[in-house]
Amino acid sequence: MCGIVGITSNKPVSVSIINSLRKLEYRGYDSAGIATLSNGFINEVKSEGRVEKLEKNIDTKNMIGSVGIGHVRWATHGVPNKINAHPHSSESVSVVHNGIIENSTNLKKNLVSIGHKFKSQTDTEVIVHLITELLKKNDLKESILKMLNQLEGSFALAIIFKDHPDLIVGARRGSPLAVGYGPNENYLGSDSYALKSMTNKISYLDDGDFCIVKKNHVEFFDNNGIKLNKKVLKLSSNEENYGKGDYKHYMAKEIDEQPITIKNCIKEYIDNINNDINIYNFPWKINDISSVTLIGCGTAYHSCLMAKYWIEELSSLDVNIDIASEFRYRKNRFKKDNLYIFVSQSGETADTYAALDICNKNKMKTASIVNVIESSIARDSNFVLPIHCGPEVGVASTKAFIGQMLVLYILILKISYLRKEIDKNLYIKKIKALKELPELVEKTLLTESKIQSISGTFTEAKGSMFLGRGFSYSIALEGALKLKELSYVHAEGYPAGEMKHGPLALIEDGIPVVVLAPRDEYYKKTISNMQEVIARGAKVLLITNKSKEEIFSENIWEKIEVENTSNDLFPFLITIPIQKLAYYAALKKGYDIDKPRNLAKSVTVE
Ligand code: F6R
């Protein structure tokens, strides 16, 4: 999704802006642009497509401005082309914007009526004309305040000014924005990834804040123009983790990294000597919680669904799950003894953040499970459990999904034990089983060549289905999501037992169907459903676990057997082949695996 970079320095900034935009490529985007100030002029270059193409269009020897802004755009208003790419500029200002200006149509009407001419179809361009107009009669700070007061919607902005050639103005409402501090230069970035290659010292703007960034000095203000002091934070992880190593794609690397990321996460939460789970500083008494609501979007929502099955299996807590974009607009019944858990890799997803904000405003107990610990969701929830899987660069979430499930499982195990709903023996047995998970995932990765050889069937078919019951159901949904978002072929995840209520109509000769059926308590029922689709001509890829027991079904097209573990841990293992299947299907089609179309790493619009 859109990303912002701004740099004010004592040396030319265009190369550093391009390098930072590259760090933002993981977010998913369709055009890019940059503007710098030199010799009293705004010099703007934009292009459709990748940052690489933008770079080719820039003559860095002549683009010598020491103040500049850059942007990668994910289209919301207006098609993805060069004209709609950011920055948008007048003779006196240049603006980059993340988010949506909801009253842009009205603002545009007024501005057009007083003579302003618009070039693009974007909502962002109203900001350019509005600030240009306000600057005719007001000083800089008054103009910013008046402009911000007129804008409705959510945004992060970076603006440069011809008549103030030493500064960048940043503003935030809804969409995140950070300031970074460097030697003789300072920065603005839509997230810490953008700034990490330049500094590890940053401050975050809060909702409604704006800032004036100069090379040796930064001032912060609230929405009334009152000066603010901001904490300077030190960023946690470092640059090395961002490389692809020997891999062709981040996604392949991130899938293969999972045994290590699981090991790292277990190390953070499990006391190896005592076989106990450490969750420090949990801010509530365990008996003050009688129900749980889990909220997320996309893949993160699937990990919430997984958690529902585990909670019901291991405790007597009531549990609800919700898609954040639904939760935020529903009339919710808030309950003091309910724990609201927000799951998000990026920690910046607009819908998940809005759902958290509603719970905070209602003074609910809020906890988050995130990968990016400096993120808005982590900062604004009462309690944070990081997934410790390192940066996830591939836009399609893989290792973060496993990390989210892992932390949820660990938390549920601890809570169930503290509530005395599982006894010490079972608690220790489950912890021991968890510690074996990295090795089992490692072995399951060896199923790769089989998956690779059959992936073509999924790309050639007009669609496919993923079926599962119980612990396997959310993995079926995740398998279908991964396949469609990466290979652009239709795929649907379904509870295996629901097929007879309509979707069996889709099954015809040769349709590939993935059946997730480890030998758990749902196994026999799922195998019956599998027979129903085989009888109608489906080509079934059965994903089960190794066993001497025969499978009572004929005509299974292909079979993948994962390692053996306890029933509630099979989801971790059966996830591996469905991730690989999506990867190889996209590879066969020659698509941009790490940046699939229309998907963003950090979905900062609603
Ligand atoms: C799918 C995917 C998305 C994200 C969703 C939520 O591969 O990556 O469905 O899971 O946009 O993102 P986070 O977890 O950052 O809140």
Side-chain angles (χ1 to χ4, degrees):
M1 201 132 285
C2 304
I4 288 176
V5 182
I7 305 178
T8 159
S9 179
N10 54 8
K11 52 183 197 277
V13 291
S14 60
V15 172
S16 303
I17 291 177
I18 292 288
N19 288 339
S20 296
L21 287 180
R22 263 201 208 101
K23 304 278 179 225
L24 288 172
E25 287 193 289
Y26 76 94
R27 294 167 76 106
Y29 68 101
D30 40 55
S31 55
I34 173 171
T36 60
L37 280 169
S38 39
N39 301 326
F41 287 102
I42 291 169
N43 189 352
E44 177 197 277
V45 184
K46 317 200 270 194
S47 71
E48 195 186 330
R50 299 281 174 226
V51 172
E52 207 185 339
K53 188 167 165 201
L54 173 72
E55 194 179 10
K56 284 189 187 137
N57 293 337
I58 294 176
D59 175 2
T60 44
K61 281 203 194 90
N62 287 323
M63 203 168 196
I64 50 165
S66 56
V67 170
I69 51 180
H71 192 260
V72 284
R73 173 176 188 253
W74 188 85
T76 55
H77 286 56
V79 294
N81 62 17
K82 186 173 165 181
I83 294 177
N84 290 334
H86 299 207
H88 292 280
S89 311
S90 66
E91 266 184 23
S92 50
V93 304
S94 185
V95 176
V96 290
H97 163 220
N98 289 357
I100 293 175
I101 305 301
E102 285 169 359
N103 58 339
S104 62
T105 311
N106 283 345
L107 290 171
K108 185 172 173 179
K109 227 186 261 168
N110 296 340
L111 288 158
V112 167
S113 73
I114 54 169
H116 286 262
K117 292 203 164 47
F118 283 71
K119 291 178 260 184
S120 75
Q121 301 161 303
T122 65
D123 52 339
T124 305
E125 203 182 339
V126 296
I127 303 170
V128 177
H129 293 278
L130 190 57
I131 190 83
T132 303
E133 192 60 33
L134 288 162
L135 281 165
K136 289 180 187 164
K137 294 186 193 131
N138 303 281
D139 69 16
L140 179 74
K141 202 174 141 195
E142 276 165 7
S143 302
I144 299 296
L145 273 169
K146 285 186 176 163
M147 172 199 69
L148 294 175
N149 270 332
Q150 291 187 53
L151 299 181
E152 287 170 18
S154 72
F155 50 81
L157 302 173
I159 314 175
I160 54 174
F161 304 83
K162 177 174 144 270
D163 294 334
H164 302 276
D166 59 338
L167 60 86
I168 310 174
V169 165
R172 172 192 174 164
R173 194 190 297 156
S175 302
L177 193 65
V179 167
Y181 306 91
N184 284 324
E185 54 184 33
N186 288 316
Y187 321 101
L188 268 173
S190 46
D191 67 26
S192 54
Y193 287 169
L195 305 179
K196 259 179 181 158
S197 58
M198 301 182 286
T199 182
N200 66 349
K201 282 190 277 172
I202 61 165
S203 299
Y204 287 100
L205 276 81
D206 289 311
D207 248 7
D209 294 351
F210 71 96
C211 61
I212 297 178
V213 183
K214 296 185 179 173
K215 68 174 189 266
N216 288 317
H217 183 60
V218 183
E219 284 180 303
F220 294 91
F221 304 92
D222 70 9
N223 55 356
N224 294 312
I226 312 282
K227 248 184 167 183
L228 299 166
N229 287 322
K230 288 276 171 191
K231 264 200 236 154
V232 178
L233 309 168
K234 241 178 144 196
L235 291 176
S236 52
S237 60
N238 52 30
E239 275 285 287
E240 294 97 69
N241 298 328
Y242 286 88
K244 264 194 283 214
D246 292 337
Y247 286 87
K248 222 168 146 189
H249 300 103
Y250 279 105
M251 184 182 176
K253 176 173 178 264
E254 287 161 4
I255 293 173
D256 282 1
E257 258 170 19
Q258 292 176 121
I260 301 166
T261 57
I262 294 173
K263 207 182 238 169
N264 289 344
C265 186
I266 286 177
K267 214 161 44 187
E268 293 291 333
Y269 291 106
I270 291 183
D271 171 350
N272 237 333
I273 299 167
N274 299 311
N275 282 317
D276 196 2
I277 291 170
N278 293 325
I279 290 183
Y280 296 112
N281 303 322
F282 191 70
W284 307 285
K285 287 194 192 111
I286 215 69
N287 291 331
D288 290 347
I289 296 167
S290 67
S291 58
V292 178
T293 302
L294 296 129
I295 298 168
C297 302
T299 290
Y301 171 74
H302 296 157
S303 66
C304 297
L305 176 60
M306 189 69 246
K308 178 179 164 74
Y309 282 84
W310 284 327
I311 293 173
E312 287 173 350
E313 178 79 10
L314 297 170
S315 83
S316 63
L317 286 165
D318 284 336
V319 52
N320 286 303
I321 53 169
D322 226 316
I323 290 173
S325 55
E326 289 296 313
F327 179 89
R328 65 182 291 192
Y329 291 116
R330 268 215 323 274
K331 290 204 170 76
N332 293 294
R333 314 277 182 270
F334 290 107
K335 278 171 45 197
K336 281 269 167 254
D337 57 353
N338 190 73
L339 173 61
Y340 292 84
I341 302 179
F342 299 85
V343 182
S344 173
Q345 188 285 132
S346 61
E348 300 294 354
T349 299
D351 286 320
T352 312
Y353 183 81
L356 165 68
D357 194 42
I358 291 165
C359 291
N360 280 340
K361 285 188 175 131
N362 281 280
K363 303 209 170 358
M364 293 294 108
K365 300 177 174 71
T366 58
S368 60
I369 291 180
V370 297
N371 194 27
V372 183
I373 55 171
E374 304 92 4
S375 61
S376 307
I377 290 174
R379 281 181 287 123
D380 289 351
S381 41
N382 303 150
F383 183 59
V384 187
L385 289 164
I387 62 172
H388 298 290
C389 77
E392 187 181 65
V393 181
V395 166
S397 194
T398 53
K399 64 176 180 172
F401 177 59
I402 289 278
Q404 289 159 359
M405 290 201 296
L406 185 58
V407 172
L408 282 163
Y409 185 80
I410 289 171
L411 177 67
I412 293 162
L413 214 51
K414 181 75 181 188
I415 290 181
S416 308
Y417 178 60
L418 293 176
R419 284 169 57 88
K420 300 192 176 34
E421 297 190 295
I422 53 174
D423 65 22
K424 189 149 191 181
N425 284 342
L426 185 59
Y427 179 60
I428 291 180
K429 196 172 152 201
K430 287 195 176 291
I431 290 173
K432 285 188 175 162
L434 252 186
K435 290 199 285 189
E436 287 169 10
L437 207 50
E439 204 187 317
L440 300 179
V441 170
E442 182 100 57
K443 286 187 179 153
T444 306
L445 284 165
L446 301 175
T447 55
E448 172 157 17
S449 56
K450 174 79 144 296
I451 289 281
Q452 185 174 6
S453 67
I454 60 177
S455 57
T457 301
F458 287 82
T459 54
E460 284 150 23
K462 64 178 179 190
S464 59
M465 297 204 76
F466 288 69
L467 308 180
R469 280 176 178 253
F471 296 130
S472 303
Y473 168 43
S474 68
I475 311 303
L477 295 184
E478 177 61 6
L481 176 62
K482 284 285 95 83
L483 187 66
K484 64 188 153 201
E485 71 191 356
L486 285 155
S487 68
Y488 317 152
V489 281
H490 183 67
E492 206 168 326
Y494 234 80
E498 269 288 291
M499 287 296 284
K500 56 188 173 291
H501 298 290
L504 267 182
L506 295 173
I507 304 299
E508 54 187 59
D509 248 11
I511 288 282
V513 176
V514 179
V515 176
L516 300 165
R519 288 169 168 82
D520 57 15
E521 55 268 45
Y522 306 94
Y523 174 69
K524 285 192 180 136
K525 299 283 171 205
T526 314
I527 293 296
S528 302
N529 301 135
M530 178 180 79
Q531 278 157 342
E532 287 157 13
V533 294
I534 290 177
R536 284 158 182 84
K539 266 179 134 172
V540 164
L541 164 62
L542 172 66
I543 301 179
T544 183
N545 58 307
K546 290 182 176 160
S547 170
K548 288 195 185 106
E549 224 180 90
E550 219 184 306
I551 297 165
F552 294 107
S553 181
E554 286 175 357
N555 300 327
I556 296 170
W557 169 53
E558 288 289 354
K559 188 172 70 178
I560 290 202
E561 290 176 321
V562 302
E563 298 299 309
N564 282 303
T565 182
S566 60
N567 288 354
D568 49 2
L569 294 185
F570 276 128
F572 293 96
L573 303 186
I574 61 174
T575 296
I576 305 300
I578 59 103
Q579 291 174 335
K580 289 272 181 192
L581 177 62
Y583 174 76
Y584 281 112
L587 193 66
K588 278 236 151 73
K589 286 200 144 183
Y591 291 152
D592 194 347
I593 293 182
D594 286 330
K595 297 177 205 104
R597 72 182 181 203
N598 301 334
L599 179 63
K601 191 70 190 156
S602 197
V603 184
T604 47
V605 295
E606 58 167 299

